Amino acid sequence: MDRFSWTSGLLELGETLVVQQRGVRLGDGEEKVKFDSGVLLLSTHRLIWRDQKNHECCIAVPLSQIVFIEEQAAGIGKSAKIVVHLHPASSNKEPGPFQSSKYSYIKLSFKEHGQIEFYRRLSEEITQRRWESMPTGQAMQVNKDTQAGRIRAVGIVGIERKLEEKRKETDKNISEAFEDLSKLMEKAKEMVELSKSIANKIKEKQGDITEDETIRFKSYLLSMGIANPVTRETYGSGTQYHMQLAKQLAGILQAPLEERGGIMSLTEVYCLVNRARGLELLSPEDLVNACKMLESLKLPIRLRIFDSGVMVIELQSHNEEEMVASALETVSEKGSLTADEFAKLVGMSVLLAKERLLLAEKMGHLCRDDSVEGLRFYPNLFLTQS
Amino acid sequence: MHRRGVGAGAIARRKLAEAKYKERGTVLAEDQLAQMSKQLDMFKTNLEEFASKHKQEIRKNPEFRVQFQDMCATIGVDPLASGKGFWSEMLGVGDFYYELGVQIIEVCLALKHRNGGLITLEELHQQVLKGRGKFAQDVSQDDLLRAIKKLKVLGNGFGIIPVGGTYLIQSVPAELNMDHTVVLQLAEKKGFVTVSEIKSSLKWETERAKQVLEHLLKEGMAWLDEQAPEEPQYWLPALFTELYSQEITPEEAKEAIP
């Protein structure tokens, strides 16, 4: 920790911010220090740490001081860490929080995650060494001390050897995984080719294929994640799975819809259903494809798509056009309303409130006043007073 | 003189040939479906084997996830299309991304009133990590982008806008065309932009610049600072770095959960 210097935390001219992460604790080798909770910033030139509670407390170390870095996986009750091995501090270093340290490395503890991204970026910066080609306003701390250089060489050789062994081991695991993955993908590719060939046959036969065969084919495509080569839609409607799902949804959504005035956006439904499931979640496409079948299966809920592209699920008994009448009353009472104001009054999400007001406008009941202060709706007096 | 192919006999022969061809066509398709079914079972076994050896690798290693996704895309397979797909069921990739989708939606909803529905990928990343808690698995920015691409189909206006080396994530159904995107990119450097800057950088007329800026103001994605020294400045709250450290308030969190 004696390699750090106090700093203002402001970036120099020519220095760029690469990535930052909150919730990082610094450690001096194996020991704890008082830098417990801070934002860690990586720039093209330095590693900067700023205390989250006291922004004045800010320290930095130049990237040129870094010898190499290692990852340390998280454990029970322990956050993931990055270990940063450093050259000894140069004699002309700016003053910092520690005069000396018995360790030649520090530990960065990622209490709020973010270590993977940070490690990747830090590795990149150390490799690219952009600080060498981008001189900053501040004097660069160049390690010209040859005495220190000789001492460095001795201790580091052993560490580097250990690191090399670890790299080889990891490489072996990764390359085995990649090999297996490549073989798997070859087989998957065969499946894709086969499905294309079948699709061509279907096109040639032009309607001679049975319903049963179509359903079978679609379910095979679904399992493999292959888009339907005939219709180009990702196995739209027609699979057993989506039919069952549609029926399930009708059951699950009845009560929530009633609680919310009979209408919910598809994103709300997605969150609600997946939060309830916990495991074996639905993909967004699963949800949309199931909802597209609601009407044809004559279920008590239906999918509706507004002009804006917003998709909602409504109770069959829900009549948005009737709701427009009551919306008009509300707007008239208040003189005029924005979507935000209307949403708060009625207890709806802003998204759906806006859609209702837009529909009312489309039906001629409301007029808009579109200014930089926002979109405001008024009762359409042209209609009522002419 | 006989003209080739003409005559009742030739026609009859041709019809017979066509009928036989069609028949064979039917048989061929059935055969192929049966073949596909068999190959599918075999593939499922291969995938199970792969999963038993490397499922952890996919879970823990974001680089490996990227490789996996890229390979799938190259051969024309979408492992995230359905929760019912083999990939999702056996490798567990589905749940990882679909749950991430829920978390992304919640963060965007909670912060929408602050930034108009535009947020940088960095801030989204930070907030999602915070929400996931200490014991959850880490997610990379690439993971977020893939989850967001899947969310588009829900019709809520999810979009990814490249700006200066990173991305702005749109989560509201506001229409943002090329003009708006280009101005956002211009604003990314300093967090704000002025009419003069737009005119000199993009060579537009005043009217066009003003229209774009007004649209962003109306959508709540830009705030106007009329007190600025030389001319009014249009700031993008999505780019205020100070906001990164601001917690999502309990009121905002309530807005996010259906």
Side-chain angles (χ1 to χ4, degrees), chain B residues 120-162:
Chain B
T120 58
L121 185 58
E122 276 77 23
E123 186 178 359
L124 181 62
H125 190 207
Q126 294 289 321
Q127 298 281 11
V128 165
L129 285 178
K130 250 195 276 177
R132 283 168 72 91
K134 287 178 77 71
F135 300 105
Q137 202 191 328
D138 197 11
V139 301
S140 69
Q141 288 183 0
D142 182 83
D143 291 328
L144 287 176
L145 288 175
R146 288 187 199 273
I148 292 167
K149 284 188 187 133
K150 284 288 143 196
L151 290 177
K152 281 187 182 190
V153 77
L154 294 176
N156 220 60
F158 269 94
I160 300 175
I161 303 168

Side-chain angles (χ1 to χ4, degrees), chain A residues 17-22 39 55 75-77 79 111-117 120-121 173-174 176-178 180-182 184-192 194-198 201-202 204-205 208-209 213-214 216-217 219-227 234-235 241-242 260 264-268 270-272 274-275 278-288 308-311 349-351 354-355 370-375, chain B residues 21-22 25-30 32-37 39-40 43 46-47 50 53-54 57-58 60-65 67-68 71-72 75-88 91 94-99 101-103 105-106 109 112 122 125-126 129-130 132-142 147 150-156 158 165 172-173 214 217-219 241 244-247 255-258:
Chain A
L17 182 63
V18 173
V19 68
Q20 64 183 39
Q21 177 60 48
R22 330 166 1 117
V39 183
H55 289 243
I76 316 236
S79 319
K111 301 195 288 187
E112 292 178 26
H113 294 295
Q115 70 277 5
I116 295 181
E117 193 68 32
R120 184 171 79 80
R121 301 296 195 118
N173 290 340
I174 298 276
E176 194 193 318
F178 276 129
D180 287 346
L181 182 65
S182 302
L184 190 71
M185 287 300 164
E186 280 304 312
K187 300 204 172 81
K189 193 169 172 192
E190 283 168 25
M191 301 296 300
V192 176
L194 185 55
S195 74
K196 281 193 192 144
S197 150
I198 295 179
K201 283 275 175 308
I202 293 176
E204 279 168 27
K205 281 166 71 174
D208 268 7
I209 186 169
E213 286 170 338
T214 310
R216 267 171 73 198
F217 185 48
S219 78
Y220 297 161
L221 295 177
L222 184 74
S223 300
M224 282 302 298
I226 301 172
T234 30
Y235 28 83
Y241 171 61
H242 293 119
R260 288 164 180 73
M264 279 173 79
S265 75
L266 213 55
T267 28
E268 279 180 276
Y270 177 78
C271 291
L272 190 83
N274 275 341
R275 280 260 177 251
L279 285 178
E280 289 179 18
L281 305 181
L282 299 183
S283 76
E285 276 160 82
D286 285 336
L287 182 59
V288 172
S308 60
V310 169
M311 295 166 52
S349 72
V350 179
L351 183 81
K354 189 168 179 191
E355 290 302 327
D370 209 353
S371 73
V372 291
E373 267 129 35
L375 180 58
Chain B
Y21 181 74
K22 265 215 173 121
T26 317
V27 172
L28 274 173
E30 267 170 26
Q32 281 196 307
L33 272 182
Q35 184 192 359
M36 188 164 187
S37 173
Q39 268 187 256
L40 211 63
F43 183 80
N46 288 327
L47 186 55
F50 180 85
K53 283 162 78 178
H54 304 296
E57 197 65 45
I58 292 207
K60 292 209 188 128
N61 187 340
E63 274 95 38
F64 194 58
R65 276 202 290 279
Q67 283 292 335
F68 167 73
M71 281 182 160
C72 284
I75 63 173
V77 157
D78 183 359
L80 297 182
S82 172
K84 201 67 181 159
F86 285 163
W87 308 98
S88 184
L91 289 180
D95 278 7
F96 174 77
Y97 286 100
Y98 307 147
E99 188 187 6
V102 173
Q103 291 161 346
I105 291 170
E106 289 179 346
L109 271 180
K112 190 173 70 168
E122 276 77 23
H125 190 207
Q126 294 289 321
L129 285 178
K130 250 195 276 177
R132 283 168 72 91
K134 287 178 77 71
F135 300 105
Q137 202 191 328
D138 197 11
V139 301
S140 69
Q141 288 183 0
D142 182 83
K150 284 288 143 196
L151 290 177
K152 281 187 182 190
V153 77
L154 294 176
N156 220 60
F158 269 94
V172 290
E214 274 174 19
L217 277 179
K218 280 186 215 168
E219 293 295 340
T241 37
Y244 283 12
S245 41
Q246 278 192 23
E247 305 282 336
E255 171 70 30
I257 299 172

Side-chain angles (χ1 to χ4, degrees), chain B:
Chain B
M1 196 161 63
H2 292 278
R3 270 190 280 163
R4 248 181 297 169
V6 176
I11 295 172
R13 263 198 307 276
R14 197 162 45 223
K15 280 207 168 140
L16 190 62
E18 275 171 12
K20 278 213 168 123
Y21 181 74
K22 265 215 173 121
E23 211 180 87
R24 266 180 68 222
T26 317
V27 172
L28 274 173
E30 267 170 26
D31 273 352
Q32 281 196 307
L33 272 182
Q35 184 192 359
M36 188 164 187
S37 173
K38 238 179 49 185
Q39 268 187 256
L40 211 63
D41 281 339
M42 250 171 42
F43 183 80
K44 196 171 169 194
T45 312
N46 288 327
L47 186 55
E48 270 167 355
E49 205 190 303
F50 180 85
S52 67
K53 283 162 78 178
H54 304 296
K55 188 170 175 175
Q56 285 307 311
E57 197 65 45
I58 292 207
R59 226 173 54 81
K60 292 209 188 128
N61 187 340
E63 274 95 38
F64 194 58
R65 276 202 290 279
V66 171
Q67 283 292 335
F68 167 73
Q69 297 271 19
D70 284 348
M71 281 182 160
C72 284
T74 308
I75 63 173
V77 157
D78 183 359
L80 297 182
S82 172
K84 201 67 181 159
F86 285 163
W87 308 98
S88 184
E89 285 186 329
M90 275 175 252
L91 289 180
V93 271
D95 278 7
F96 174 77
Y97 286 100
Y98 307 147
E99 188 187 6
L100 195 51
V102 173
Q103 291 161 346
I104 291 169
I105 291 170
E106 289 179 346
V107 167
C108 288
L109 271 180
L111 296 177
K112 190 173 70 168
H113 75 284
R114 278 194 216 169
N115 54 33
L118 268 190
I119 185 171
T120 58
L121 185 58
E122 276 77 23
E123 186 178 359
L124 181 62
H125 190 207
Q126 294 289 321
Q127 298 281 11
V128 165
L129 285 178
K130 250 195 276 177
R132 283 168 72 91
K134 287 178 77 71
F135 300 105
Q137 202 191 328
D138 197 11
V139 301
S140 69
Q141 288 183 0
D142 182 83
D143 291 328
L144 287 176
L145 288 175
R146 288 187 199 273
I148 292 167
K149 284 188 187 133
K150 284 288 143 196
L151 290 177
K152 281 187 182 190
V153 77
L154 294 176
N156 220 60
F158 269 94
I160 300 175
I161 303 168
V163 294
T166 177
Y167 299 94
L168 279 176
I169 308 301
Q170 177 186 355
S171 59
V172 290
E175 197 222 293
L176 291 182
N177 59 29
M178 275 311 296
D179 273 7
H180 302 121
T181 305
V182 138
V183 166
L184 288 175
Q185 288 167 344
L186 198 58
E188 189 264 343
K189 297 191 191 74
K190 292 186 291 182
F192 71 91
V193 74
T194 60
V195 173
S196 317
E197 275 168 4
I198 294 177
K199 284 171 69 174
S200 64
S201 296
L202 303 174
K203 312 274 181 277
W204 287 1
E205 272 124 45
T206 310
E207 200 42 53
R208 186 175 174 187
K210 281 210 167 139
Q211 253 190 20
V212 167
L213 291 171
E214 274 174 19
H215 182 78
L216 294 175
L217 277 179
K218 280 186 215 168
E219 293 295 340
M221 294 173 178
W223 293 353
L224 179 58
D225 176 12
E226 294 183 300
Q227 312 283 351
E230 280 147 19
E231 64 175 299
Q233 293 174 343
Y234 293 79
W235 287 79
L236 298 188
L239 301 173
F240 293 174
T241 37
E242 289 82 52
L243 288 180
Y244 283 12
S245 41
Q246 278 192 23
E247 305 282 336
I248 293 180
T249 64
E251 292 78 41
E252 287 170 334
K254 251 200 323 194
E255 171 70 30
I257 299 172

